[in-house]
């Protein structure tokens, strides 16, 4: 499996775990506010880290780390993902997958084989406006719905999360997303943060008061709605 980035230790990426985070390259979405622009647009120009190097590090960190997060690009597109997860789990580590949910068959297969301990699925927008963010030529919302439906059955611990952008997400969108995801176990709202590696510049975060109001708007539908990474 091709790995384009490796964060050796994190307390943030995998809730409740001291973890390492791996970054795959390439994505089927091209969200303009994505902060991993190089991994999405030019994965072939980023350096590669071998599986052997990752496994060697994890072996040395047994008893210190307890989890591994596999993150974007979009990991479910990566050849060899399943076999690599098996290698990680054979060392005794829990595995968290970050995904956009557009490959429900892969997500479901990994979960049903007991290979994932936690799934974080990004929710980009309301169903009607989803592809305004993803920018695919042939977008199929049923794929997103299939992943949402599967996760909400409770087969594996999960969260939904949305990065909120002032220019893209308004109050009426929040209400629509809440109705769509009603009954979810956990929903995290994240404020947009600008960076040099974002795909398109010119976006801004909502202020804290607006984000708090959005969280309150969602709680009748998803009581466990939480702001994450908001100062």
């Amino acid at each position: 499996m091709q790995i384009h980035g490796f964060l050796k230790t994190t307390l943030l990426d995998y809730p409740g775990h001291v973890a390492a985070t791996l970054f795959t390259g390439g994505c089927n979405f091209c969200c303009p506010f994505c902060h991993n622009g190089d991994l999405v647009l030019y994965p072939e120009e980023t350096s590669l880290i071998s599986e052997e190097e990752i496994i060697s590090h994890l072996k040395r960190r047994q008893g210190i780390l307890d989890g591994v997060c596999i993150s974007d690009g979009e990991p479910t597109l990566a050849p060899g993902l399943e076999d690599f997860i098996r290698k990680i789990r054979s060392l005794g580590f829990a595995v968290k997958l970050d995904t956009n949910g557009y490959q429900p068959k892969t997500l479901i297969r990994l979960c049903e084989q007991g290979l994932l301990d936690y799934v974080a699925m990004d929710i980009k927008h309301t169903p009607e406006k989803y592809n305004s963010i993803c920018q695919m030529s042939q977008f199929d919302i049923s794929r997103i719905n299939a992943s949402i439906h599967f996760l909400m059955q409770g087969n594996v611990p999960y969260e939904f999360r949305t990065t909120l952008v002032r220019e893209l997400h308004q109050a009426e969108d929040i209400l629509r997303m809440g109705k769509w995801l009603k009954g979810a176990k956990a929903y995290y709202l994240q404020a947009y943060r600008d960076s040099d590696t974002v795909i398109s510049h010119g976006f801004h975060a909502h202020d804290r008061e607006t984000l708090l109001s959005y969280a309150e708007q969602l709680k009748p539908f998803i009581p466990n709605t939480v702001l994450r990474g908001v100062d």
Side-chain angles (χ1 to χ4, degrees), residues 1 23-29 70-82 85 97-111 116 119-121 143 147:
M1 190 174 87
F23 298 91
T24 63
C27 189
N28 42 11
F29 291 176
I70 303 177
S71 192
D72 48 3
E74 174 48 44
T76 59
L77 299 175
L81 175 63
E82 183 174 323
I85 291 176
L97 181 74
D98 292 346
T99 182
N100 62 26
Y102 202 69
Q103 303 293 324
K105 291 182 179 179
T106 300
L107 173 62
I108 292 169
R109 183 179 71 252
L110 294 173
C111 290
L116 300 179
V119 175
M121 178 177 164
R143 291 185 174 212
S147 292

Side-chain angles (χ1 to χ4, degrees), residues 3 5-10 18-22 49-68 84 88 91 93:
I3 302 160
F6 184 35
L7 181 60
K8 293 183 177 180
T9 305
T10 175
V18 181
T21 299
L22 316 177
I49 303 168
S50 69
E51 286 190 19
E52 292 74 20
E53 181 179 343
I54 300 295
I55 295 300
S56 177
H57 175 79
L58 293 177
K59 286 180 177 178
R60 294 194 301 270
R61 301 291 283 177
Q62 284 176 303
I64 300 173
L65 300 175
D66 54 14
V68 175
F84 188 60
I88 294 172
L91 299 176
F93 295 103

Side-chain angles (χ1 to χ4, degrees), residues 168-184:
L168 301 175
H169 301 95
Q170 309 303 323
E172 60 270 19
D173 301 318
I174 302 304
L175 181 62
R176 176 68 179 94
M177 288 190 284
K179 293 178 178 178
W180 185 29
L181 302 173
K182 183 178 180 180

Side-chain angles (χ1 to χ4, degrees), residues 178-194:
K179 293 178 178 178
W180 185 29
L181 302 173
K182 183 178 180 180
K185 289 184 178 179
Y187 193 18
Y188 289 89
L189 304 182
Q190 304 171 162
Y192 169 77
R193 293 180 182 272
D194 198 13

Side-chain angles (χ1 to χ4, degrees), residues 4 21 25 28 51 87 130 161 168 175 201 206 224 226:
H4 293 262
T21 299
N28 42 11
E51 286 190 19
K87 292 177 184 178
Y130 222 92
R161 61 190 187 182
L168 301 175
L175 181 62
H201 294 278
H206 292 283
N224 187 22
V226 181

